[in-house]
Amino acid sequence: MPVSDPESHISKGALSAMFDASADPSAPPAQPVVQCVQIKPLASQAQNGPERYRVVFSDVNNFVQSMLATQVNHVVHEGKLTKGCFVRLKAYSANNVKGKRILIVLDLEVLEELGEHEKIGDPKALEVKSEEESKPQPTTISSHGFYGGKPAAGPGQGQAQSLPSRSGGAASAHANIYPIEAISPYATKWTIKARCTSKGQVKHWHNKNGEGKLFSVNLLDDSGEIRATGFNEQCDALYELFQEGAVYYISSPCKAQPAKKQFNNLNHDYELNFERDTLVERAEDQDDVPQIRFNFTNIGELQNVEKDTTIDVIGVLKEVGEVSQITSKTTSKPYDKRELTLVDQSGFSVRLTVWGATANAFDAAEEAVIAFKGVKVSDFGGRSLSLLSSGSMSVDPDMDEAHKLKGWYDAQGRSDTFASHQGMAGGAVGTAGGRQDACKTIAQVRDENLGMTEAVDYFSLRATVIYVKQDNVYYPACLSDGCNKKVVEVEQGAWRCERCDKTHARPEYRYIMSLNVSDHTGQLWLSCFDDTGRLVMGRSADALAELRETDEKAAAELFQDANCTTWVFRCRAKMDNFQDQQRVRYQVSSASAPNFAAEAGKLAETLKAYSLV
């Protein structure tokens, strides 16, 4: 039940004391109590970035703009942090940035027993100090002592807040530690203390603008995780210094820029580029920074995870494949890979691919428990995983999830039979999240105008083939690995590929098909490529081309046999220009036979939703 006088619990004057560098260190309470007078979500600076919330806190005398660290977003999601409630700030960072007072809240407790009230008193905005006083001077307080205490007052304080030098003592030079969560282009003077959770290999590039090299590390502290990259000279200077698992002090100047999510799987809106004057020092105390964090996804739930999502996964290593090599279609470079099979208590298995040096050096024994951080979800063959270059793995980690998994496997999992995600088309089992590849009927595809905008729309379609267009059903392709471009017969027995600049004695025929499919709501034309063509026709395009040359009647029967077969097609809809006219093209990315068990489960869930069973 709410107390009658919540004002008496508020730490009046605490906000001013947090930001006043000349105040008595004992002035602000270690865990001040304040009132939340406003809360609103902020737009993310990066695509698919984490949710961010801006909050205004009041101590009756003053109010201050605040930002919630992402690890405390749960108090908003759970409905605990609301306008008018009271909170205890357990860990925070008070920052003066360009004359503005910003409070980064790293940990808090909502005092539900105090209830909710209208704004108490008439708080004033904290006064902005003079230009000299308003230089960034981060002060971080944490109830568990990770970030250190408020700096001592007095003449020496200015020195403690200056950039650390390599020769200075670590204890005094790094008295003020800036939280990773608060790093942005607007924070220009800071020192972080972070653990290197991942260190990538040195990569070289060559293009029209020149050549160079780079490497990247993931840096973790109690507030969040950020990616940092060193180019050329910084790559040479810092690569050997960084070791996975070690803790470092890193001081600006160090450029913060919006995170490039195609290369960066971390939740931070920004990433760092090391500069010539960036200071990196190995910390003497290696124990007060958290270890690598995981947010595991159950293997059985992968069918409900959107394609290209980056996740963490843990499982028992059931099978280990041999190292093989593929050639990139875009760069024509060879890449080593190794396929692993993981299982867990969900009763499902999944194929996970590791690449390059990780694939060659992999030596974990079967039945080991492995935790992977930073794996990409693919819809190839249903659902599969791929370890990103920025990801990492831990074999038999000392964590509760690993111990429980090992205990389950030893007790019963070793003899269990596991279902595979292979052949399960995305969207065959409905999800609550409104996936882009949700299962649609043909009428829904048309009524919802999928593909009619500039964006590409994805969907799954369970339909029956009613006609296969026999004209231009395949094309002669290059035999070079990873090419597949069309070749031209320049003379008898000589097929020329302009891309590879090679001539082959014969081509490899590949399907490029148009199918007319139907369901109970209508008909639709789909464009298909080789993998889908092989599935529908039951043989390769090479074999079909040879049959058409020798037995045209038998080939016609093959086309007839392809009719009236039902498949689950994964499709993308996009506006296309054809002969100066715009039309929507429905292209099949993959196809599989219907999974009747999954379809029956989906139907049962639908019936339950209508309370019919």
Side-chain angles (χ1 to χ4, degrees):
M1 180 177 179
V3 299
S4 58
D5 185 20
E7 183 177 352
S8 63
H9 293 266
I10 296 179
S11 306
K12 297 180 181 179
L15 296 178
S16 178
M18 291 178 190
F19 288 92
D20 190 352
S22 62
D24 186 332
S26 63
Q31 297 185 3
V33 175
V34 294
Q35 184 185 22
C36 172
V37 296
Q38 187 183 85
I39 179 170
K40 63 183 296 186
L42 293 176
S44 175
Q45 297 292 322
Q47 187 177 8
N48 299 323
E51 292 180 293
R52 303 299 296 267
Y53 294 94
R54 184 172 68 187
V55 184
V56 177
F57 288 120
S58 164
D59 67 359
V60 179
N61 295 343
N62 300 101
F63 66 84
V64 67
Q65 298 281 349
S66 308
M67 186 81 72
L68 294 187
T70 53
Q71 71 262 25
V72 292
N73 282 351
H74 64 91
V75 296
V76 180
H77 301 158
E78 295 166 2
K80 295 181 178 179
L81 185 64
T82 56
K83 184 178 179 179
C85 74
F86 299 86
V87 303
R88 176 177 288 114
L89 303 178
K90 301 174 70 175
Y92 54 85
S93 171
N95 303 282
N96 295 337
V97 180
K98 294 188 176 180
K100 294 183 179 181
R101 303 296 180 82
I102 303 293
L103 186 69
I104 307 296
V105 179
L106 307 171
D107 192 14
L108 62 79
E109 175 188 1
V110 178
L111 304 178
E112 297 180 80
E113 66 274 13
L114 298 183
E116 297 178 8
H117 290 260
E118 293 295 324
K119 182 174 64 176
I120 296 176
D122 185 20
K124 309 295 182 184
L126 285 176
E127 292 183 4
V128 178
K129 300 293 184 180
S130 65
E131 182 178 352
E132 180 65 25
E133 294 173 311
S134 63
K135 290 181 180 178
Q137 295 177 341
T139 300
T140 311
I141 306 294
S142 173
S143 58
H144 45 71
F146 161 56
Y147 289 110
K150 189 176 179 68
Q157 185 170 352
Q159 295 177 357
Q161 290 178 335
S162 64
L163 280 178
S165 64
R166 297 184 185 276
S167 59
S172 61
H174 305 295
N176 293 320
I177 301 299
Y178 203 78
I180 283 177
E181 178 74 26
I183 286 179
S184 75
Y186 311 105
T188 57
K189 192 175 183 181
W190 46 259
T191 296
I192 60 173
K193 185 178 184 182
R195 187 180 301 279
C196 175
T197 59
S198 175
K199 173 185 171 183
Q201 297 291 321
V202 174
K203 297 181 179 179
H204 297 262
W205 80 83
H206 304 270
N207 57 36
K208 62 181 181 180
N209 297 321
E211 58 184 39
K213 55 187 171 181
L214 63 87
F215 84 104
S216 296
V217 292
N218 292 348
L219 303 171
L220 170 76
D221 73 3
D222 206 33
S223 71
E225 194 168 10
I226 195 169
R227 184 179 177 89
T229 301
F231 294 88
N232 299 325
E233 293 180 3
Q234 284 65 49
C235 179
D236 293 334
L238 299 176
Y239 184 76
E240 295 300 332
L241 177 60
F242 277 106
Q243 300 297 325
E244 286 190 5
V247 177
Y248 299 87
Y249 290 106
I250 301 168
S251 301
S252 59
C254 190
K255 183 180 180 181
Q257 61 183 20
K260 298 176 182 177
K261 291 302 181 181
Q262 66 268 41
F263 307 115
N264 186 343
N265 62 293
L266 302 183
N267 284 329
H268 207 292
D269 285 346
Y270 299 99
E271 61 188 19
L272 298 174
N273 283 349
F274 295 124
E275 298 183 5
R276 183 181 62 181
D277 295 326
T278 303
L279 296 181
V280 179
E281 303 172 73
R282 188 180 175 102
E284 293 181 7
D285 186 353
Q286 296 278 310
D287 298 325
D288 62 350
V289 178
Q291 300 289 338
I292 186 171
R293 290 195 186 115
F294 293 94
N295 184 19
F296 293 120
T297 296
N298 189 291
I299 293 177
E301 294 297 319
L302 290 177
Q303 200 63 29
N304 298 332
V305 178
E306 188 174 343
K307 174 181 176 290
D308 293 333
T309 301
T310 301
I311 64 169
D312 303 337
V313 68
I314 186 171
V316 176
L317 183 61
K318 192 71 172 177
E319 296 176 3
V320 181
E322 297 295 326
V323 175
S324 60
Q325 194 174 84
I326 65 169
T327 302
S328 170
K329 292 183 179 180
T330 55
T331 64
S332 298
K333 292 182 179 179
Y335 291 93
D336 293 334
K337 71 170 188 173
R338 187 192 296 266
E339 293 185 350
L340 315 174
T341 301
L342 300 179
V343 299
D344 68 6
Q345 303 100 314
S346 68
F348 275 82
S349 66
V350 67
R351 187 180 75 251
L352 188 151
T353 304
V354 294
W355 303 87
T358 304
N360 288 306
F362 187 86
D363 60 355
E366 290 187 359
E367 301 189 351
V369 176
I370 307 182
F372 292 89
K373 182 175 180 62
V375 295
K376 185 177 181 180
V377 179
S378 167
D379 61 356
F380 181 76
R383 275 296 183 269
S384 58
L385 304 175
S386 178
L387 182 64
L388 298 172
S389 59
S390 57
S392 61
M393 68 177 185
S394 300
V395 179
D396 291 326
D398 185 10
M399 60 177 65
D400 290 343
E401 294 90 343
H403 300 320
K404 291 177 182 178
L405 199 56
K406 186 66 174 175
W408 157 81
Y409 189 79
D410 289 340
Q412 69 177 78
R414 185 176 282 107
S415 58
D416 281 356
T417 300
F418 297 93
S420 170
H421 289 288
Q422 296 291 326
M424 294 181 66
V429 180
T431 68
R435 294 160 40 115
Q436 287 184 309
D437 56 349
C439 195
K440 302 284 186 183
T441 64
I442 291 176
Q444 288 174 321
V445 171
R446 298 192 186 281
D447 292 344
E448 296 175 15
N449 294 321
L450 297 186
M452 297 293 287
T453 63
E454 292 184 0
V456 179
D457 292 315
Y458 297 88
F459 62 94
S460 290
L461 177 68
R462 186 173 183 267
T464 300
V465 177
I466 59 175
Y467 180 71
V468 180
K469 189 175 180 181
Q470 299 184 28
D471 297 335
N472 300 320
V473 71
Y474 44 70
Y475 71 97
C478 178
L479 287 172
S480 300
D481 290 340
C483 180
N484 299 334
K485 291 296 183 180
K486 185 176 181 179
V487 294
V488 178
E489 189 175 21
V490 293
E491 58 183 56
Q492 184 72 29
W495 297 80
R496 177 74 177 169
C497 176
E498 295 298 332
R499 179 185 177 185
C500 297
D501 194 23
K502 291 181 180 179
T503 300
H504 303 281
R506 62 175 183 83
E508 176 192 24
Y509 287 95
R510 297 178 64 85
Y511 286 109
I512 179 168
M513 303 175 63
S514 292
L515 303 178
N516 192 231
V517 300
S518 174
D519 66 7
H520 63 287
T521 67
Q523 298 180 16
L524 196 68
W525 281 98
L526 302 178
S527 299
C528 310
F529 294 108
D530 196 60
D531 290 342
T532 304
R534 287 171 178 261
L535 194 65
V536 172
M537 298 302 297
R539 65 182 58 200
S540 68
D542 265 339
L544 178 60
E546 183 177 351
L547 185 63
R548 293 181 94 173
E549 292 291 332
T550 58
D551 192 341
E552 192 169 338
K553 182 179 179 180
E557 290 178 354
L558 277 181
F559 283 99
Q560 197 64 33
D561 291 342
N563 292 333
C564 300
T565 56
T566 300
W567 308 95
V568 177
F569 299 98
R570 288 180 59 84
C571 307
R572 62 193 296 264
K574 185 179 181 181
M575 187 65 70
D576 191 17
N577 288 310
F578 180 72
Q579 295 181 348
D580 297 328
Q581 291 186 350
Q582 284 193 325
R583 65 176 185 178
V584 179
R585 184 181 184 188
Y586 304 100
Q587 182 175 308
V588 177
S589 56
S590 65
S592 61
N595 186 316
F596 294 106
E599 293 285 340
K602 178 188 173 184
L603 184 59
E605 291 298 321
T606 303
L607 292 174
K608 288 180 182 178
Y610 285 97
S611 301
L612 297 179
V613 293

